[in-house]
Amino acid sequence: MKKLVCTLLLPLLVVATGYTAQAAGFKDVPEDHYAYEAIMWAEEYDIVNGYPDGTFKPNATITEQQFAKLLANFYELESPYDELKKQTPARNGADEYYNRLASYGVPLNGYFDNNIRAASVKRGVVAQAITHLAKGKSGLDQSIQFLLDYYISTGQNFQYENRNLQKFFGVTNNMTRAQVVTMLHRMDERNFYEISEDAQAIHENTSNASLNTRAKNGQSQLDKTMQLITPSNSAWDGNYSYYYKWGAGTTDFNRRDAYISNATSKSFNIFITANDGTAAGSVDGTATITSSTKAAMNKSSNGNRCVVEFELLNNALKITEVDCRTEHDEGTNFSGTLKKQ
């Protein structure tokens, strides 16, 4: 079995020095959990670690840049000689992995924008990225079918089985820790280590295309419904954060993070994470702008009821949760005033 040495780093994952998950597993992943075997495998090969409280949080979402790191290391992609020229020039911890993935033309959204990299990755994007490396250039439907045919994924919304492939797969839903680890485990079991001829040809680059060109070609390969655009200059766009440390323990803190992107005059995309001690949650969706300083979201991208109100302040964002209990643990919510970063 091929051993992977990459570690999936999640922004909300607090790893204590010297902490090692016990062989007994994680207290929130019972033996009858669908991803139990995959999570134990991932923990054994140091792909992911648990939380200091002994949990794994299998339903926590991951970002595109975290998925990019995992994918680049799983396939042991070679680094190119040059680097991407981004629209957000600040150095980013994922730069190395996006450079490697761009060299193989992998379909992803975040090549040129650090903010898009930090957004949660959709299942449709994951399907096309994996299939590009495992099989070759493929459209969204072909990518989904590949994952289904080899039992790398079993789909999500079974009421659409044999009726609507994309809805059955759940292309617009977020990827969770358990889902990513399960896909990776099944890729390992089925020996999908060989890089496709399409991806290898792009990497060999006989046409001498620049790394940026290969990245743009990868972006354009994504189905249009999966493509994200670079955030506009809207006053709403940006990253917002709040952090308060109230004790000496590793979980004695409160934190709120929000990322707003793709703002227009009518709406914007919102991704929020919240931590209050060991309680945590995240949600993303589309908010409707109701005035120059106010907006509201009524449901999450997963289709759950999630009513959250937003008020744009001077260099800050006020978030008021009205009802979003299905998207986070008891003991926390998304309310708070976050400073623009």
Side-chain angles (χ1 to χ4, degrees):
M1 179 180 290
K2 182 177 180 180
K3 294 185 178 181
L4 306 180
V5 297
C6 62
T7 299
L8 179 60
L9 301 177
L10 300 178
L12 302 180
L13 179 60
V14 182
V15 181
T17 301
Y19 171 78
T20 302
Q22 300 302 309
F26 305 100
K27 62 185 180 182
D28 60 345
V29 185
E31 291 188 9
D32 60 354
H33 190 283
Y34 81 91
Y36 176 81
E37 182 180 350
I39 291 171
M40 294 303 99
W41 168 83
E43 184 267 338
E44 179 182 357
Y45 288 100
D46 296 323
I47 300 169
V48 291
N49 292 320
Y51 288 76
D53 63 358
T55 64
F56 179 78
K57 300 191 186 303
N59 296 325
T61 58
I62 64 171
T63 65
E64 187 188 90
Q65 64 189 2
Q66 294 155 3
F67 170 67
K69 177 178 181 178
L70 192 61
L71 192 61
N73 281 291
F74 179 79
Y75 273 100
E76 299 180 346
L77 302 182
E78 297 178 354
S79 298
Y81 293 110
D82 51 348
E83 297 183 348
L84 289 169
K85 298 175 179 62
K86 300 183 296 181
Q87 291 169 290
T88 50
R91 298 292 296 176
N92 180 276
D95 285 345
E96 172 192 350
Y97 307 106
Y98 276 97
N99 289 340
R100 289 159 62 184
L101 290 160
S103 180
Y104 291 82
V106 178
L108 289 172
N109 277 304
Y111 285 116
F112 307 109
D113 195 299
N114 290 342
N115 295 319
I116 292 179
R117 293 179 178 187
S120 54
V121 67
K122 303 300 182 184
R123 287 173 59 84
V125 174
V126 170
Q128 286 198 256
I130 288 177
T131 305
H132 176 87
L133 285 169
K135 181 183 179 183
K137 291 182 180 179
S138 302
L140 181 56
D141 286 354
Q142 291 175 305
S143 299
I144 295 170
Q145 197 61 58
F146 168 76
L147 297 182
L148 296 176
D149 287 345
Y150 287 93
Y151 197 63
I152 296 166
S153 173
T154 57
Q156 278 196 327
N157 305 310
F158 293 98
Q159 68 271 29
Y160 294 107
E161 188 172 10
N162 300 320
R163 295 172 53 203
N164 187 311
L165 183 64
Q166 294 187 18
K167 287 185 178 181
F168 169 65
F169 184 73
V171 293
T172 61
N173 293 344
N174 297 333
M175 289 297 297
T176 68
R177 286 164 59 85
Q179 291 164 0
V180 168
V181 169
T182 297
M183 282 190 179
L184 186 60
H185 184 227
R186 289 172 178 170
M187 293 286 287
D188 178 87
E189 289 181 323
R190 289 148 183 77
N191 298 318
F192 278 111
Y193 305 134
E194 294 291 330
I195 297 172
S196 70
E197 292 182 2
D198 287 345
Q200 187 61 40
I202 295 171
H203 176 64
E204 292 173 0
N205 196 25
T206 57
S207 63
N208 293 318
S210 69
L211 193 62
N212 272 38
T213 296
R214 284 178 278 170
K216 289 177 181 176
N217 289 340
Q219 282 182 327
S220 64
Q221 188 180 318
L222 283 172
D223 189 88
K224 290 189 180 300
T225 61
M226 294 291 100
Q227 294 179 16
L228 299 177
I229 62 172
T230 299
S232 68
N233 293 323
S234 168
W236 288 97
D237 274 323
N239 294 305
Y240 303 81
S241 184
Y242 167 80
Y243 179 79
Y244 174 66
K245 180 71 173 174
W246 47 267
T250 58
T251 60
D252 296 342
F253 68 93
N254 302 105
R255 181 162 187 158
R256 301 287 184 276
D257 293 281
Y259 165 58
I260 292 178
S261 63
N262 299 338
T264 67
S265 61
K266 297 181 180 180
S267 65
F268 55 75
N269 295 338
I270 177 73
F271 175 60
I272 313 169
T273 61
N275 273 70
D276 286 338
T278 59
S282 65
V283 64
D284 70 343
T286 301
T288 300
I289 297 174
T290 57
S291 73
S292 61
T293 59
K294 293 186 177 181
M297 180 178 70
N298 293 317
K299 67 178 182 179
S300 71
S301 62
N302 293 326
N304 296 322
R305 174 177 170 80
C306 185
V307 181
V308 183
E309 298 173 347
F310 306 92
E311 183 178 1
L312 193 60
L313 306 175
N314 184 21
N315 207 37
L317 179 70
K318 182 180 179 181
I319 301 176
T320 304
E321 178 186 331
V322 179
D323 181 6
C324 202
R325 289 169 291 180
T326 60
E327 295 288 344
H328 57 70
D329 296 347
E330 291 185 10
T332 189
N333 59 50
F334 298 121
S335 299
T337 299
L338 289 61
K339 185 177 180 181
K340 193 168 187 177
Q341 302 303 299

